Amino acid sequence: MDLDPAQLRAFLAVAEHGHFGRAATELTITQQALSKRVARLEELLGERLLDRDGRGAHPTPAGERLLEPARAVLAACAAAVTAVRGAARPLRLDVWGHLFAPLRTVGAVEFDALEVGHGRDLPSVLGALLRGEIDAGFGRHHALPDGREHELSHRLVRLEPVDAVLGADHPLAGAAALRPADLRDSTLLLPAALARLEFLQRFAERFDLACESTTNMGAEHFLAHLAATPNAVTLLPADAPLPLTPGLRTVPLVDPTPLYAWSLVWPRSNAHPAVPALLRAFAETGRRNRWLEYRPDRDWLPEAERAELGPLGG
């Protein structure tokens, strides 16, 4: 019995997203083509692998048993390509956290053998890494509830100060600087559901802010909504370029200054040969630009990032 990696990849994408539409978007194929691949795999194996209902799709007991072997097959395929092409193949990197403009940091690093893919969200990028479809991911890394963190490595490469962004009609719009505590009478406006925005979730919990989620229709729509909402505020990295949105104000946050942590993530096994060189390039650029500066008496980081910094984060 010959298993088709494309069919295994389709099955895994649906199982990891719990949804045919989102899986099809990740794989850049139509939902009909995705459904056909899964159906052919089920026919070949003689087992139903996914249960479908009105809320999405989830693996059957047979599908649960297939998850790890399917991931192993795709990882082996990726390892075979790497073994033949070696470091001559560009390192494939994908990013997430698009509103925070991750490509600014990637583009600042001098590294030629890099192929940057279309951006996705964190679960999609980590799924692609574990299936061997890409070699590394870049964005704010945090643990996911599926318990598969042991299969990936990550390294913190940049800590970026975060500013408050608010409309010109906000009562605090004229301030030269703001403390996070000053925002407690404001609503933290979110570009997606709070559960998908781990940094903003931790900030809201720490500084006791009410949150409001909006429909994700892109940065310009989100910022226009922010500018038109007098009591709303959001957070963006200080160096992130903002679309030309009339009526927005950017105010530094101090006492403490929140820091957004950018990390490189890659598979623990079968890593691309160029990963160590890319890590060195990030480290060299970081030293020149003081990317990893952190003072506990001045700055705020979520607990996970403080732990990663070790003694410095005490």
Side-chain angles (χ1 to χ4, degrees):
M1 181 183 297
D2 293 325
L3 295 177
D4 183 347
Q7 294 171 5
L8 293 174
R9 188 172 290 111
F11 160 71
L12 283 175
V14 176
E16 290 163 359
H17 281 281
H19 193 274
F20 274 80
R22 289 192 290 269
T25 298
E26 178 190 330
L27 298 178
T28 62
I29 60 176
T30 66
Q31 191 168 331
Q32 182 182 21
L34 178 72
S35 297
K36 285 182 178 179
R37 291 182 187 181
V38 173
R40 288 174 189 150
L41 181 62
E42 290 179 322
E43 181 181 1
L44 178 65
L45 294 175
E47 293 277 358
R48 190 177 76 256
L49 301 174
L50 295 164
D51 279 331
R52 293 85 159 167
D53 56 33
R55 293 172 295 177
H58 55 273
T60 64
E64 291 284 354
R65 294 193 297 272
L66 180 60
L67 289 174
E68 289 307 316
R71 288 167 180 148
V73 168
L74 294 180
C77 291
V81 172
T82 299
V84 173
R85 296 181 177 176
R89 176 178 65 76
L91 187 150
R92 301 163 299 177
L93 180 138
D94 213 341
V95 299
W96 68 93
H98 313 296
L99 184 63
F100 287 12
L103 290 178
R104 295 173 299 118
T105 298
V106 174
V109 175
E110 295 180 7
F111 193 83
D112 294 329
L114 198 63
E115 181 180 288
V116 180
H118 64 88
R120 296 182 269 195
D121 60 11
L122 173 60
S124 297
V125 172
L126 298 191
L129 280 171
L130 292 166
R131 293 192 299 272
E133 297 166 8
I134 59 175
D135 304 305
F138 182 80
R140 183 176 181 273
H141 177 264
H142 60 87
L144 294 177
D146 59 9
R148 300 182 62 207
E149 294 301 304
H150 66 281
E151 299 179 48
L152 297 169
S153 296
H154 70 278
R155 182 176 299 175
L156 191 64
V157 298
R158 183 178 187 182
L159 297 172
E160 186 172 9
V162 169
D163 289 342
V165 182
L166 32 75
D169 294 330
H170 192 288
L172 301 174
L178 291 168
R179 298 173 301 144
D182 296 332
L183 305 178
R184 284 181 180 157
D185 293 330
S186 302
T187 298
L188 184 61
L189 196 65
L190 310 173
L194 182 60
R196 298 181 58 193
L197 302 167
E198 208 263 355
F199 173 78
L200 294 178
Q201 184 177 23
R202 297 288 167 258
F203 181 87
E205 291 170 353
R206 169 63 181 81
F207 297 105
D208 194 24
L209 270 67
C211 298
E212 178 187 325
S213 296
T214 61
T215 303
N216 187 354
M217 297 179 64
E220 291 187 10
H221 179 273
F222 171 70
L223 293 173
H225 179 46
L226 174 69
T229 308
N231 202 44
V233 63
T234 198
L235 306 183
L236 287 175
D239 291 340
L242 293 178
L244 295 176
T245 304
L248 279 185
R249 299 288 185 271
T250 300
V251 182
L253 287 172
V254 297
D255 298 328
T257 296
L259 299 178
Y260 192 84
W262 298 99
S263 291
L264 189 72
V265 187
W266 67 95
R268 193 175 295 275
S269 60
N270 299 318
H272 188 284
V275 165
L278 180 57
L279 287 169
R280 288 194 297 272
F282 269 111
E284 290 167 5
T285 306
R287 279 193 294 271
R288 289 198 304 270
N289 293 281
R290 303 166 70 179
W291 276 355
L292 289 177
E293 274 198 0
Y294 170 64
R295 281 177 36 190
D297 61 331
R298 179 194 64 186
D299 305 319
W300 175 81
L301 279 170
E303 184 177 352
E305 280 90 348
R306 292 200 306 271
E308 189 170 345
L309 285 170
L312 180 61

